[in-house]
Amino acid sequence: MSGFVGVVVSDPWLQSQFTQVELRTLKSKFLSARNQSGHVTVGDLPPVMAKLKAFSGMFREEEIKAILAESYIDTKEEIDFESFLRAFLNLQARATARSGPKLKTSSSFLKASTTTLRHTISETEKASYVAHVNNFLKEDPFLKKYLPLDPSTNALFDLAKDGVLLCKLINVAVPGTIDERAINTKRVLNPWERNENHTLCLNSAKAIGCTVVNIGTQDLVEGRPHLLLGLISQIIKIQLLADLNLKKTPQLVELVEDSKDVEELMGLPPEKVLLKWMNFQLKKSGYSKQVTNFSSDLKDGEAYAHLLNVLAPEHGTTATLDTKDPTKRANLVLEQAEKMDCKRYVTPKDIVEGSTNLNLAFVAQIFQQRNGLSMDNKNISFAEMMSDDAQTSREERCFRLWINSLGIDSYINNVFEDVRTGWVLLEVLDKISPGSVNWKLATKPPLKMPFRKVENCNQVVKIGKELNFSLVNVAGNDIVQGNKKLILALLWQLMRFTMLQLLKNLRSHSQGKEITDADILNWANSKVKSSGRTSQMESFKDKKLSNGIFFLELLSAVEPRVVNWSLVTKGETDEDKKLNATYIISVARKLGCSIFLLPEDIMEHASCTGAYSKRLGSQSQPFREDNRSADESSATSMDGDNEALLTSEASSLSIDDSAPSSQEDKKEMQ
């Protein structure tokens, strides 16, 4: 596997307007416009640009042709890639002027974009995140020699360039996400090792719920400040909001009146739960205003003063509320919070100016230190009873993270609740099978009329059947009613369809034939055998898979140097199996696989393990057998599609027309 080479543009300003993911995608689109002579002319651009998602439904080909005519008189004039990029920016500016700034449709902070053409960064946010890094990683064996970082310099961005810092930060946010044995931690890394760390980081970030659609490994290698801060911000927020759910903090049921509201509480995104908790505590203090955001509603500091007086009356003082100057009040608030051992994520200036990200982090820190909730509540047992079993919870997590990684407009917090309107499922279908959804027949939430939900879900079922999903006796109302078994079965088929389509598209010799589970099984076994190993798997539910040896041999067959066999156990005990499973997932992510399963899924040979082999088959890349340029073959989707390269391994998948799809897997889907 060779090191990654980014798309380089001679004009530094032009290069700065795009991420590497965007540049690679646009380079691919540009090259696809080449005519028979191998060149691109102005007249070749309109049909290509009209199909770009950035301009979907915004411009017709005729309009694009007219706009280009303002700069180019002759449509036969040859155009280079940089001119294509400038034309793209011109159209983008006109699209923005026509429609106005794009409104954020998601209520979740995680959906906030991490890229912007303005590329401005907040120095106060940077200082806060540097303090977080210094505090939580100060004892790390590898990083402690580089800490503490100075927030007034670019030390944070420089240290992040080798990928180690980001990987370690992910493990702080969600312990155990990355097997640290898989991180390359030499003092000086070569480009290949650095790229491996960043690939591991991005795939692991996706696996904990970060949105990384517009970030590529080259962006991290270059240490782009706005992208790094955006990613670090998401990682830290995931850490701070980790306890804002009924599973971790069952006392949260105190926020609702009766058991009927518990279900609604379970479906709320964590920041909405945090606001609900804050207003619950403020009501105790007699504070009459409702806090609806982490910005303007907190600028005067009054809400903070009342909140801290309720939670820590022993540190309370009337001086905080008596002060008329907001900055002085903010200072007193922070002094009181420090007495509660709350870390300073905000400065008085951040509070007064209404910094959303830092205020959210500060309120979350207060919640972690002292939430003021009681365990003596009759609804706690009801909430615990509603919790899913371990297997269902793992599957829900897997599908939730997969959906969020697709780059659709909606953000999922709870699969079973959020898919019931049908809208999210329609977005997923439109992503994996473009053009399959009739949006004229769909209704976007919020939906007051229940029958609109049924209409949306009926269309989901209809499209699923057209894609040959197994949906016998399934109706739209089953989804609306939240039938967990059917929802999981549908989501599994959606994920499976995506992976098989990916493999089909990557194969250069498929001639339109469908790839079956048997093809994946045959590929994996033959790949391991060709490397001189003896392990084989009989099916995706083979109990022998639980020790992890077969997957490690498969990974080693794909890229021999990626597995350190001195770290591998025999997998004879549960502890050894878990060590192998954790290592497998991290190594696969280093190779570029987007994996959402947990070590337990491999140990217990759950159905998600089949998805692992399919994903690995699509990602393996020991050599390239076509004659395209690196830029073409590394093109990825700006819309969040899988970033797999066209590979010879996928091309070599054997098609066995007589091999039936796994009946065992079909039964599992029912």
Side-chain angles (χ1 to χ4, degrees), residues 461-620:
V461 173
K462 177 177 176 291
I463 297 171
K465 290 179 178 178
E466 290 171 355
L467 297 176
N468 295 321
F469 290 0
S470 178
L471 295 171
V472 181
N473 297 324
V474 176
N477 196 50
D478 294 316
I479 300 173
V480 176
Q481 295 300 319
N483 186 315
K484 293 183 179 180
K485 184 177 180 181
L486 291 179
I487 288 172
L488 289 175
L490 173 61
L491 290 172
W492 166 244
Q493 293 182 83
L494 284 167
M495 180 185 272
R496 180 177 180 276
F497 175 84
T498 307
M499 287 183 286
L500 292 180
Q501 284 298 111
L502 172 65
L503 290 169
K504 180 179 176 181
N505 292 337
L506 290 176
R507 292 187 71 258
S508 60
H509 308 299
S510 67
Q511 298 176 341
K513 295 178 182 177
E514 294 294 329
I515 290 179
T516 66
D517 290 357
D519 295 322
I520 309 296
L521 194 68
N522 291 337
W523 169 80
N525 282 328
S526 63
K527 189 66 184 170
V528 170
K529 187 177 180 180
S530 68
S531 69
R533 304 280 180 174
T534 58
S535 297
Q536 296 282 283
M537 67 172 172
E538 297 175 4
S539 74
F540 292 130
K541 293 186 178 181
D542 191 332
K543 292 185 178 181
K544 296 193 295 292
L545 295 175
S546 65
N547 65 18
I549 300 300
F550 178 83
F551 287 123
L552 286 164
E553 291 186 350
L554 180 57
L555 286 162
S556 181
V558 170
E559 175 49 62
R561 65 182 297 281
V562 80
V563 176
N564 183 345
W565 287 101
S566 66
L567 302 176
V568 178
T569 73
K570 293 182 179 179
E572 294 175 347
T573 66
D574 286 344
E575 183 180 352
D576 285 349
K577 287 179 180 179
K578 187 162 187 178
L579 283 171
N580 283 353
T582 305
Y583 187 55
I584 287 166
I585 292 171
S586 291
V587 169
R589 286 176 179 153
K590 278 174 74 172
L591 282 178
C593 300
S594 295
I595 294 176
F596 303 108
L597 48 74
L598 294 170
E600 290 79 8
D601 294 318
I602 294 177
M603 294 168 63
E604 298 172 16
H605 46 275
S607 58
C608 280
T609 326
Y612 171 88
S613 289
K614 295 168 190 174
R615 179 65 65 186
L616 184 57
S618 72
Q619 296 292 141
S620 55

